[in-house]
mmCIF file of all heavy atoms in Angstrom:
data_model
loop_
_atom_site.group_PDB
_atom_site.id
_atom_site.type_symbol
_atom_site.label_atom_id
_atom_site.label_comp_id
_atom_site.label_asym_id
_atom_site.label_seq_id
_atom_site.Cartn_x
_atom_site.Cartn_y
_atom_site.Cartn_z
ATOM 1 N N ARG A 486 13.724 -0.368 -6.096
ATOM 2 C CA ARG A 486 15.068 -0.904 -6.032
ATOM 3 C C ARG A 486 15.648 -1.013 -7.423
ATOM 4 O O ARG A 486 14.914 -1.346 -8.364
ATOM 5 C CB ARG A 486 15.050 -2.290 -5.412
ATOM 6 C CG ARG A 486 14.826 -2.266 -3.904
ATOM 7 C CD ARG A 486 15.027 -3.642 -3.259
ATOM 8 N NE ARG A 486 14.588 -3.554 -1.892
ATOM 9 C CZ ARG A 486 14.451 -4.663 -1.095
ATOM 10 N NH1 ARG A 486 14.750 -5.818 -1.604
ATOM 11 N NH2 ARG A 486 14.105 -4.521 0.157
ATOM 12 N N ASP A 487 16.963 -0.828 -7.481
ATOM 13 C CA ASP A 487 17.604 -1.054 -8.793
ATOM 14 C C ASP A 487 17.624 -2.470 -9.108
ATOM 15 O O ASP A 487 17.673 -3.345 -8.185
ATOM 16 C CB ASP A 487 19.042 -0.519 -8.740
ATOM 17 C CG ASP A 487 19.089 0.999 -8.602
ATOM 18 O OD1 ASP A 487 18.202 1.618 -9.266
ATOM 19 O OD2 ASP A 487 19.968 1.493 -7.911
ATOM 20 N N GLY A 488 17.648 -2.817 -10.353
ATOM 21 C CA GLY A 488 17.760 -4.265 -10.700
ATOM 22 C C GLY A 488 19.245 -4.609 -10.784
ATOM 23 O O GLY A 488 20.127 -3.845 -10.352
ATOM 24 N N VAL A 489 19.468 -5.831 -11.248
ATOM 25 C CA VAL A 489 20.843 -6.270 -11.370
ATOM 26 C C VAL A 489 21.062 -6.555 -12.865
ATOM 27 O O VAL A 489 20.166 -6.822 -13.634
ATOM 28 C CB VAL A 489 21.179 -7.508 -10.531
ATOM 29 C CG1 VAL A 489 21.204 -7.186 -9.113
ATOM 30 C CG2 VAL A 489 20.182 -8.624 -10.840
ATOM 31 N N GLN A 490 22.352 -6.506 -13.238
ATOM 32 C CA GLN A 490 22.649 -6.805 -14.642
ATOM 33 C C GLN A 490 22.753 -8.295 -14.813
ATOM 34 O O GLN A 490 23.265 -9.013 -13.943
ATOM 35 C CB GLN A 490 24.000 -6.119 -14.947
ATOM 36 C CG GLN A 490 24.037 -4.694 -14.627
ATOM 37 C CD GLN A 490 24.195 -3.845 -15.867
ATOM 38 O OE1 GLN A 490 25.199 -3.920 -16.549
ATOM 39 N NE2 GLN A 490 23.109 -3.119 -16.192
ATOM 40 N N ARG A 491 22.257 -8.690 -15.965
ATOM 41 C CA ARG A 491 22.289 -10.110 -16.269
ATOM 42 C C ARG A 491 22.704 -10.284 -17.754
ATOM 43 O O ARG A 491 22.249 -9.562 -18.606
ATOM 44 C CB ARG A 491 20.931 -10.738 -16.008
ATOM 45 C CG ARG A 491 20.788 -12.199 -16.488
ATOM 46 C CD ARG A 491 19.525 -12.788 -15.916
ATOM 47 N NE ARG A 491 18.335 -12.254 -16.552
ATOM 48 C CZ ARG A 491 17.083 -12.537 -16.132
ATOM 49 N NH1 ARG A 491 16.876 -13.232 -15.085
ATOM 50 N NH2 ARG A 491 16.101 -12.020 -16.793
ATOM 51 N N GLN A 492 23.523 -11.302 -18.006
ATOM 52 C CA GLN A 492 23.880 -11.568 -19.391
ATOM 53 C C GLN A 492 22.900 -12.468 -20.058
ATOM 54 O O GLN A 492 22.302 -13.336 -19.383
ATOM 55 C CB GLN A 492 25.250 -12.235 -19.417
ATOM 56 C CG GLN A 492 26.387 -11.371 -18.946
ATOM 57 C CD GLN A 492 27.755 -11.984 -19.241
ATOM 58 O OE1 GLN A 492 27.814 -13.143 -19.578
ATOM 59 N NE2 GLN A 492 28.762 -11.166 -19.168
ATOM 60 N N TYR A 493 22.688 -12.256 -21.313
ATOM 61 C CA TYR A 493 21.868 -13.204 -22.052
ATOM 62 C C TYR A 493 22.441 -13.334 -23.440
ATOM 63 O O TYR A 493 23.155 -12.501 -23.949
ATOM 64 C CB TYR A 493 20.402 -12.781 -22.028
ATOM 65 C CG TYR A 493 20.117 -11.572 -22.922
ATOM 66 C CD1 TYR A 493 19.546 -11.738 -24.164
ATOM 67 C CD2 TYR A 493 20.370 -10.320 -22.418
ATOM 68 C CE1 TYR A 493 19.245 -10.584 -24.909
ATOM 69 C CE2 TYR A 493 20.093 -9.170 -23.171
ATOM 70 C CZ TYR A 493 19.492 -9.320 -24.424
ATOM 71 O OH TYR A 493 19.212 -8.248 -25.166
ATOM 72 N N LEU A 508 24.677 -10.227 -24.579
ATOM 73 C CA LEU A 508 24.240 -8.884 -24.234
ATOM 74 C C LEU A 508 23.928 -8.758 -22.764
ATOM 75 O O LEU A 508 23.882 -9.833 -22.032
ATOM 76 C CB LEU A 508 22.962 -8.510 -25.047
ATOM 77 C CG LEU A 508 23.105 -8.618 -26.592
ATOM 78 C CD1 LEU A 508 21.776 -8.262 -27.238
ATOM 79 C CD2 LEU A 508 24.184 -7.691 -27.117
ATOM 80 N N ILE A 509 23.737 -7.579 -22.301
ATOM 81 C CA ILE A 509 23.423 -7.284 -20.925
ATOM 82 C C ILE A 509 22.042 -6.738 -20.774
ATOM 83 O O ILE A 509 21.664 -5.865 -21.571
ATOM 84 C CB ILE A 509 24.408 -6.236 -20.322
ATOM 85 C CG1 ILE A 509 25.859 -6.666 -20.553
ATOM 86 C CG2 ILE A 509 24.147 -6.036 -18.865
ATOM 87 C CD1 ILE A 509 26.342 -7.726 -19.651
ATOM 88 N N GLN A 510 21.285 -7.247 -19.851
ATOM 89 C CA GLN A 510 20.009 -6.607 -19.541
ATOM 90 C C GLN A 510 19.896 -6.343 -18.050
ATOM 91 O O GLN A 510 20.548 -6.985 -17.234
ATOM 92 C CB GLN A 510 18.856 -7.477 -19.997
ATOM 93 C CG GLN A 510 18.761 -8.787 -19.316
ATOM 94 C CD GLN A 510 17.741 -9.715 -19.903
ATOM 95 O OE1 GLN A 510 17.537 -10.818 -19.386
ATOM 96 N NE2 GLN A 510 17.089 -9.282 -20.954
ATOM 97 N N ASN A 511 19.053 -5.363 -17.717
ATOM 98 C CA ASN A 511 18.808 -5.075 -16.314
ATOM 99 C C ASN A 511 17.538 -5.808 -15.951
ATOM 100 O O ASN A 511 16.524 -5.801 -16.654
ATOM 101 C CB ASN A 511 18.591 -3.565 -16.155
ATOM 102 C CG ASN A 511 18.765 -3.130 -14.745
ATOM 103 O OD1 ASN A 511 19.204 -3.894 -13.880
ATOM 104 N ND2 ASN A 511 18.385 -1.886 -14.479
ATOM 105 N N THR A 512 17.622 -6.497 -14.799
ATOM 106 C CA THR A 512 16.439 -7.273 -14.404
ATOM 107 C C THR A 512 16.151 -7.168 -12.946
ATOM 108 O O THR A 512 17.051 -6.899 -12.160
ATOM 109 C CB THR A 512 16.696 -8.811 -14.733
ATOM 110 O OG1 THR A 512 15.509 -9.513 -14.341
ATOM 111 C CG2 THR A 512 17.863 -9.336 -13.966
ATOM 112 N N GLY A 513 14.856 -7.288 -12.576
ATOM 113 C CA GLY A 513 14.511 -7.253 -11.191
ATOM 114 C C GLY A 513 14.357 -5.922 -10.595
ATOM 115 O O GLY A 513 14.235 -5.755 -9.369
ATOM 116 N N ALA A 514 14.403 -4.843 -11.395
ATOM 117 C CA ALA A 514 14.238 -3.519 -10.862
ATOM 118 C C ALA A 514 12.770 -3.376 -10.392
ATOM 119 O O ALA A 514 11.863 -3.928 -10.976
ATOM 120 C CB ALA A 514 14.483 -2.479 -11.928
ATOM 121 N N GLU A 515 12.546 -2.713 -9.289
ATOM 122 C CA GLU A 515 11.220 -2.607 -8.733
ATOM 123 C C GLU A 515 10.867 -1.107 -8.534
ATOM 124 O O GLU A 515 11.741 -0.318 -8.051
ATOM 125 C CB GLU A 515 11.121 -3.322 -7.402
ATOM 126 C CG GLU A 515 11.261 -4.813 -7.508
ATOM 127 C CD GLU A 515 9.999 -5.491 -7.892
ATOM 128 O OE1 GLU A 515 9.213 -4.864 -8.682
ATOM 129 O OE2 GLU A 515 9.809 -6.641 -7.551
ATOM 130 N N THR A 791 15.538 6.080 -15.282
ATOM 131 C CA THR A 791 16.047 5.092 -16.228
ATOM 132 C C THR A 791 16.084 3.704 -15.571
ATOM 133 O O THR A 791 15.916 2.709 -16.239
ATOM 134 C CB THR A 791 17.410 5.437 -16.688
ATOM 135 O OG1 THR A 791 18.266 5.782 -15.551
ATOM 136 C CG2 THR A 791 17.452 6.631 -17.639
ATOM 137 N N THR A 792 16.365 3.679 -14.287
ATOM 138 C CA THR A 792 16.507 2.377 -13.665
ATOM 139 C C THR A 792 15.162 1.657 -13.467
ATOM 140 O O THR A 792 15.167 0.446 -13.225
ATOM 141 C CB THR A 792 17.109 2.528 -12.251
ATOM 142 O OG1 THR A 792 16.267 3.372 -11.468
ATOM 143 C CG2 THR A 792 18.470 3.089 -12.344
ATOM 144 N N THR A 793 14.075 2.346 -13.614
ATOM 145 C CA THR A 793 12.797 1.694 -13.458
ATOM 146 C C THR A 793 12.353 0.975 -14.764
ATOM 147 O O THR A 793 11.459 0.191 -14.756
ATOM 148 C CB THR A 793 11.728 2.719 -13.048
ATOM 149 O OG1 THR A 793 11.593 3.677 -14.071
ATOM 150 C CG2 THR A 793 12.080 3.363 -11.749
ATOM 151 N N LYS A 794 13.008 1.308 -15.796
ATOM 152 C CA LYS A 794 12.658 0.641 -17.054
ATOM 153 C C LYS A 794 13.031 -0.813 -16.931
ATOM 154 O O LYS A 794 14.005 -1.199 -16.311
ATOM 155 C CB LYS A 794 13.401 1.276 -18.204
ATOM 156 C CG LYS A 794 12.597 2.331 -18.881
ATOM 157 C CD LYS A 794 12.916 2.340 -20.361
ATOM 158 C CE LYS A 794 13.178 3.675 -20.878
ATOM 159 N NZ LYS A 794 14.202 3.797 -21.793
ATOM 160 N N LYS A 795 12.266 -1.630 -17.500
ATOM 161 C CA LYS A 795 12.450 -3.041 -17.317
ATOM 162 C C LYS A 795 13.671 -3.575 -18.108
ATOM 163 O O LYS A 795 14.582 -4.208 -17.596
ATOM 164 C CB LYS A 795 11.230 -3.807 -17.811
ATOM 165 C CG LYS A 795 11.204 -5.219 -17.262
ATOM 166 C CD LYS A 795 10.812 -5.245 -15.814
ATOM 167 C CE LYS A 795 11.070 -6.687 -15.303
ATOM 168 N NZ LYS A 795 10.802 -6.738 -13.868
ATOM 169 N N LYS A 796 13.713 -3.247 -19.320
ATOM 170 C CA LYS A 796 14.782 -3.836 -20.123
ATOM 171 C C LYS A 796 15.584 -2.780 -20.799
ATOM 172 O O LYS A 796 15.146 -2.147 -21.742
ATOM 173 C CB LYS A 796 14.151 -4.784 -21.191
ATOM 174 C CG LYS A 796 14.113 -6.208 -20.713
ATOM 175 C CD LYS A 796 13.658 -7.087 -21.832
ATOM 176 C CE LYS A 796 13.188 -8.440 -21.287
ATOM 177 N NZ LYS A 796 12.389 -9.178 -22.268
ATOM 178 N N THR A 797 16.742 -2.545 -20.344
ATOM 179 C CA THR A 797 17.666 -1.670 -21.042
ATOM 180 C C THR A 797 18.832 -2.508 -21.490
ATOM 181 O O THR A 797 19.676 -2.889 -20.723
ATOM 182 C CB THR A 797 18.159 -0.523 -20.107
ATOM 183 O OG1 THR A 797 18.485 -1.069 -18.857
ATOM 184 C CG2 THR A 797 17.112 0.522 -19.963
ATOM 185 N N THR A 798 18.822 -2.741 -22.724
ATOM 186 C CA THR A 798 19.855 -3.647 -23.214
ATOM 187 C C THR A 798 20.996 -2.850 -23.844
ATOM 188 O O THR A 798 20.730 -1.943 -24.645
ATOM 189 C CB THR A 798 19.314 -4.647 -24.255
ATOM 190 O OG1 THR A 798 18.568 -3.798 -25.227
ATOM 191 C CG2 THR A 798 18.399 -5.615 -23.623
ATOM 192 N N THR A 799 22.142 -3.156 -23.509
ATOM 193 C CA THR A 799 23.296 -2.500 -24.143
ATOM 194 C C THR A 799 24.285 -3.632 -24.535
ATOM 195 O O THR A 799 24.582 -4.494 -23.754
ATOM 196 C CB THR A 799 23.996 -1.537 -23.163
ATOM 197 O OG1 THR A 799 24.068 -2.243 -21.849
ATOM 198 C CG2 THR A 799 23.262 -0.267 -23.020
#
Side-chain angles (χ1 to χ4, degrees):
Chain A
R486 289 189 187 169
D487 290 325
V489 290
Q490 305 246 293
R491 173 169 70 189
Q492 293 192 346
Y493 70 103
L508 304 179
I509 305 283
Q510 64 187 181
N511 198 11
T512 180
E515 293 282 28
T791 50
T792 59
T793 60
K794 265 214 226 142
K795 195 76 190 178
K796 266 184 197 165
T797 43
T798 51
T799 42

